[in-house]
Amino acid sequence: MTRKQTTFSRRAVLRHGTVAAGVLGLTVGTASAATTVSGGGDALQSAIDAASDGETLTVVDSAVYDPVTVDAEVTIEASASPTIEGDGGIGAAVGIESDGVTLDGFTVTNPGGLLGVKVERGRDDAAISNNTIEDVGPTGRLGVTGVVVGQGDHSGIEIVNNTIQNLDQETTDDSGFPTVNGVLFDADNSGPGTVSDTTVNNNTIRDIESDIAPLGIVVQHETDGVDINNNEIRDLVAADDTDSDPSDDVDFGFTFAQGINIASPATSETTLAHNIIEDVTSAETILPEAIKVDGDGGGLTVRANQLLVAVGLNNRNGTDNGNRDPSSDPQVDAKNNYWGSPEGPEEADFNQDADDDDRSDVVGNVDFEPFLRNPPGGKGRGPNN
């Protein structure tokens, strides 16, 4: 049976970081079908293949399940502690190929594999919530990622209340550019598409390591109504291991590490708020950055974040017209953030000019005044005015 949703939007609830009791269970009309799943192996994929749109599949045991491809509009939830484990290849442990898919309450792993969960090109209304996505990689090729939203336009994506941890990528001769991403909105450079009405809220992203670049959250699509709020991003380590591993003869000569990277060609109504970004380290040349704007920063609002990294916000390369002259960059609105010191941030011309100390730096055209003198919610004075 097809389930008709009420006009009380689940996304409207989740984008503010709270869930009202009973809201997610409200339906109008005939109730949708419900199926229980157990036994591990291919049992979950078999249930998905047999499901109708609107059906709820509840996994009731703590078994290990094979990777799944979800090509029906279904809710997949857990009442126990099941694991979906990838096959270690270039595919995802969970591939979402339909609109309206919910994945709730699982552990998702892919040891030696590339991807944890992937929302395929152009799919809308995917809800990835209350999962632990861990132990993905290393693969020796390209970007190991916990949750990836693929190319094309997307609307109504919810990545909420997940723990994304223990992702690893190591350099090999055929590795390309071996980054690791907690959450990646992976756009096509020639046609980036737009992500709208989307939330990345209340996630913990931690323990991510790469020989060259660990990244917490990366947005490459154009944005129109995107909230990245209340996330904790920590323990990102860029450590080129060429010296420690003689078999690894690939040396890029630099590393970088970023909590949030905005590489969007255009941004509108995009908010980064109440995130905590700390313990981000880079071994060579380029200092770690809490927020890096590589695209258009003109539509960003950055509020009440704790930017506890050497470079709190770097907008030197962020432009909306491709001009690399930093004086013409759109100004990023980053008022009322905490920069690790009651004195606010220091200003630097380049990443390499910043100081790696307890007081974060800003680079490029950033409006950071007033700033918070204490972490949000702490005692003492807030904005410096």
Side-chain angles (χ1 to χ4, degrees):
M1 299 267 184
T2 300
R3 180 175 59 188
K4 181 179 179 182
Q5 298 290 341
T6 70
T7 57
F8 200 135
S9 169
R10 177 178 57 187
R11 294 195 299 276
V13 175
L14 291 180
R15 66 188 289 136
H16 293 95
T18 59
V19 180
V23 168
L24 302 190
L26 292 175
T27 58
V28 174
T30 304
S32 61
T35 299
T36 60
V37 181
S38 62
D42 64 358
L44 180 54
Q45 184 65 67
S46 296
I48 293 168
D49 293 343
S52 301
D53 285 349
E55 191 164 345
T56 295
L57 308 177
T58 303
V59 177
V60 297
D61 64 5
S62 298
V64 177
Y65 289 83
D66 296 341
V68 295
T69 298
V70 188
D71 55 4
E73 185 180 340
V74 294
T75 293
I76 306 172
E77 62 184 21
S79 65
S81 301
T83 297
I84 301 173
E85 184 171 301
D87 60 10
I90 63 172
V94 179
I96 295 175
E97 298 185 354
S98 176
D99 295 342
V101 171
T102 294
L103 180 75
D104 190 311
F106 289 82
T107 295
V108 177
T109 70
N110 198 355
L114 193 66
L115 306 174
V117 178
K118 183 175 183 181
V119 180
E120 294 289 351
R121 183 185 186 102
R123 294 304 178 184
D124 298 333
D125 298 316
I128 302 163
S129 58
N130 304 306
N131 303 287
T132 297
I133 300 160
E134 63 184 4
D135 298 331
V136 182
T139 66
R141 58 188 302 164
L142 301 180
V144 166
T145 304
V147 178
V148 57
V149 179
Q151 298 174 355
D153 296 332
H154 298 271
S155 178
I157 304 298
E158 301 165 359
I159 303 170
V160 178
N161 296 327
N162 302 284
T163 297
I164 302 171
Q165 62 185 6
N166 299 331
L167 312 183
D168 184 26
Q169 182 61 296
E170 298 175 1
T171 309
T172 65
D173 288 338
D174 63 348
S175 63
F177 197 68
T179 62
V180 178
N181 313 283
V183 176
L184 170 64
F185 290 84
D186 184 21
D188 182 345
N189 289 335
S190 62
T194 300
V195 172
S196 59
D197 191 21
T198 286
T199 57
V200 183
N201 287 0
N202 302 321
N203 301 285
T204 297
I205 301 173
R206 64 190 180 199
D207 298 321
I208 295 178
E209 183 170 348
S210 168
D211 285 355
I212 186 167
L215 309 168
I217 300 171
V218 180
V219 183
Q220 298 175 345
H221 293 75
E222 295 184 359
T223 62
D224 184 9
V226 173
D227 290 339
I228 301 175
N229 299 338
N230 299 301
N231 301 286
E232 296 185 11
I233 302 173
R234 55 169 55 95
D235 298 319
L236 277 55
V237 178
D240 190 332
D241 65 357
T242 303
D243 295 334
S244 62
D245 183 359
S247 67
D248 179 359
D249 58 0
V250 180
D251 184 3
F252 287 91
F254 64 93
T255 63
F256 60 96
Q258 299 163 356
I260 299 175
N261 179 283
I262 302 297
S264 306
T267 52
S268 175
E269 297 186 14
T270 298
T271 300
L272 316 180
H274 295 281
N275 301 289
I276 301 173
I277 306 174
E278 61 183 350
D279 296 328
V280 179
T281 59
S282 178
E284 297 184 35
T285 312
I286 302 174
L287 289 172
E289 297 159 325
I291 299 173
K292 177 66 180 297
V293 180
D294 279 322
D296 170 28
L300 292 179
T301 301
V302 183
R303 289 286 186 276
N305 298 282
Q306 297 186 49
L307 307 176
L308 309 179
V309 181
V311 176
L313 198 159
N314 186 347
N315 184 39
R316 189 175 188 278
N317 293 332
T319 73
D320 58 0
N321 59 11
N323 189 333
R324 292 299 176 180
D325 177 2
S327 65
S328 66
D329 288 355
Q331 191 170 48
V332 172
D333 179 358
K335 296 185 284 292
N336 294 326
N337 293 282
Y338 180 65
W339 305 83
S341 167
E343 300 176 1
E346 296 181 289
E347 296 183 80
D349 292 332
F350 299 91
N351 173 287
Q352 293 87 340
D353 293 334
D355 297 320
D356 189 4
D357 55 22
D358 291 337
R359 184 180 176 191
S360 294
D361 288 54
V362 294
V363 179
N365 196 359
V366 179
D367 181 7
F368 59 82
E369 293 183 322
F371 50 80
L372 300 182
R373 296 192 178 190
N374 297 279
K379 296 180 181 179
R381 301 178 63 186
N384 70 336
N385 61 345

